[in-house]
Amino acid sequence: MENTLKKKDTELVKRAMNTIMEEHLKLVKAIQYEDIAPLIAVITEAEHIFIMGAGRTGLMMKAAAMRFMHLGYKVHVVGETTSPAIRKGDVLIAGSGSGTTGGIVGAAETAKIVGAGVVCFTTNMDSPLALLANHTVKIPAAQKQERDEDVSKQYAGSLFEQSLLLVMDALIQALWELDGSPASDLWKRHANME
Ligand SMILES: O=P(O)(O)OC[C@H]1O[C@](O)(CO)[C@@H](O)[C@@H]1O
């Protein structure tokens, strides 16, 4: 009996993983990579990179911020105590599935006022954040309150949040390839106090 249950649960988890992977395989084909390409110049030319996102979206953005630091960029996570003022010549990179999260839209407005660039990753091209941004990358995933099983069977913004990390990592991988530094150089920047 116990073994049958374990087998059933194993199959359940395996099926869930397949569902997620199938959603990603479909999503990566729908991404407009031409919209991501200009970000290579935007990021390499920025004096400081400011990273922002809320909730789970914010956790993915923080993971990307860490890699930008490993690559040697001057990067700040908006809201952290050591994050300075954004200025002209800097860029704000914001992730928001809905594109309506108040603090992020407010930060994008501030960035625009001082003359900094704004990049956003969102599912919603008509959102206030997308309309404010200089560069908008559409992640073709479900919005957090959209229950369209054809787009995603996962809860809320999960597909968006996972894809955001993958897209940011693809961008970071491309930046690393262009940079050409050996992994040992990046490794020196890893935190040695954790
Ligand atoms: O990606 P959005 O739409 O800005 O939402 C931010 C976050 O808000 C939440 O709804 C609650 O924290 C999360 O699910 C999501 O990651």
Side-chain angles (χ1 to χ4, degrees):
M1 178 69 177
E2 206 183 311
N3 271 349
T4 319
L5 269 181
K6 267 191 196 152
K7 208 171 159 206
K8 214 173 118 216
D9 289 351
T10 306
E11 283 309 312
L12 198 64
V13 179
K14 222 164 131 184
R15 211 168 50 237
M17 180 60 92
N18 281 336
T19 300
I20 293 172
M21 294 313 291
E22 275 165 23
E23 289 181 1
H24 281 286
L25 288 175
K26 194 170 150 196
L27 188 143
V28 293
K29 287 188 193 136
I31 287 177
Q32 301 294 309
Y33 293 94
E34 300 77 17
D35 295 340
I36 304 176
L39 303 187
I40 291 189
V42 170
I43 290 168
T44 50
E45 286 163 19
E47 281 170 38
H48 292 254
I49 301 169
F50 288 76
I51 298 284
M52 191 171 191
R56 274 173 54 104
T57 307
L59 294 173
M60 306 302 157
M61 294 305 285
K62 277 187 179 180
M66 181 191 270
R67 282 285 185 261
F68 281 122
M69 178 273 286
H70 291 153
L71 276 176
Y73 290 96
K74 290 179 192 146
V75 61
H76 310 284
V77 174
V78 177
E80 297 286 312
T81 48
T82 54
S83 189
I86 191 163
R87 300 191 195 285
K88 195 172 181 334
D90 298 337
V91 66
L92 170 68
I93 306 180
S96 173
S98 61
T100 59
T101 300
I104 301 172
V105 175
E109 282 167 349
T110 302
K112 290 298 286 283
I113 289 168
V114 302
V118 177
V119 169
C120 95
F121 291 84
T122 184
T123 64
N124 185 357
M125 297 299 275
D126 301 320
S127 62
L129 181 63
L131 298 176
L132 271 168
N134 306 98
H135 297 272
T136 299
V137 176
K138 182 180 164 93
I139 307 273
Q143 283 193 42
K144 58 189 174 190
Q145 284 181 302
E146 200 174 55
R147 285 304 303 154
D148 182 350
E149 297 230 336
D150 284 340
V151 182
S152 181
K153 291 188 172 55
Q154 298 184 69
Y155 176 66
S158 297
L159 180 62
F160 169 74
E161 292 141 13
Q162 295 150 1
S163 335
L164 180 63
L165 183 63
L166 290 177
V167 169
M168 294 302 290
D169 267 357
L171 182 58
I172 288 161
Q173 181 71 17
L175 286 162
W176 184 33
E177 281 182 30
L178 280 176
D179 175 72
S181 318
S184 55
D185 279 7
L186 275 62
W187 189 252
K188 288 180 198 144
R189 299 190 188 99
H190 278 243
N192 53 7
M193 295 182 294
E194 278 183 320

